Amino acid sequence: MHELALCEGVLQALEEQSKIQHFARVHAVWLEIGALSSVEPEALRFNFDVITRGTLAEGSRLEIVTVPAQAWCLPCGGKISIRQYFDACPQCGSHQLQVVEGEELRIQQLEVE
């Protein structure tokens, strides 16, 4: 259910940016969602439609861009792709990984009027 709160945060960011950048209507929002972010895209879409009713983003299109998970292996120094937390480095087998991509949720792009 945290998707509802995430959509409220996105709408708040849109409203703030509309004042700064002087737009009145949002037609599309592209969100980058990391593979490790624990966000369910369909729940996000549903909540986005509900939250934006009666706002500057009502009826806007939500585009989701999935960001693959990447980690830095501390022992061997390699940047690797991972599917989940606690994966092992395919190069050295270590579990000492620092996630560098794949946890984000951010607005990538807007189509506005």
Side-chain angles (χ1 to χ4, degrees):
M1 263 324 239
H2 72 287
E3 284 83 359
L4 180 65
L6 294 173
C7 289
E8 288 173 339
V10 169
L11 179 60
Q12 182 179 2
L14 295 175
E15 290 171 341
E16 289 171 6
Q17 286 304 306
S18 74
K19 293 173 185 168
I20 295 168
Q21 298 184 34
H22 307 291
F23 57 84
R25 185 101 177 91
V26 176
H27 293 287
V29 178
W30 282 262
L31 286 181
E32 287 185 349
I33 300 177
L36 301 176
S37 68
S38 299
V39 174
E40 176 57 46
E42 289 312 309
L44 193 70
R45 286 182 200 283
F46 173 80
N47 284 293
F48 185 79
D49 288 342
V50 171
I51 290 296
T52 58
R53 286 185 192 146
T55 72
L56 76 160
E58 182 173 14
S60 62
R61 192 173 74 249
L62 179 62
E63 300 288 341
I64 295 176
V65 178
T66 303
V67 177
Q70 299 272 318
W72 181 262
C73 179
L74 300 175
C76 75
K79 186 174 180 184
I80 61 165
S81 295
I82 58 173
R83 291 176 300 173
Q84 59 189 0
Y85 289 108
F86 310 113
D87 276 354
C89 174
Q91 297 171 21
C92 72
S94 173
H95 290 276
Q96 294 179 331
L97 305 177
Q98 180 178 352
V99 176
V100 293
E101 289 182 54
E103 296 177 313
E104 55 273 275
L105 172 69
R106 66 177 154 241
I107 298 171
Q108 179 189 60
Q109 181 178 335
L110 297 174
E111 183 181 309
V112 299
E113 146 188 343

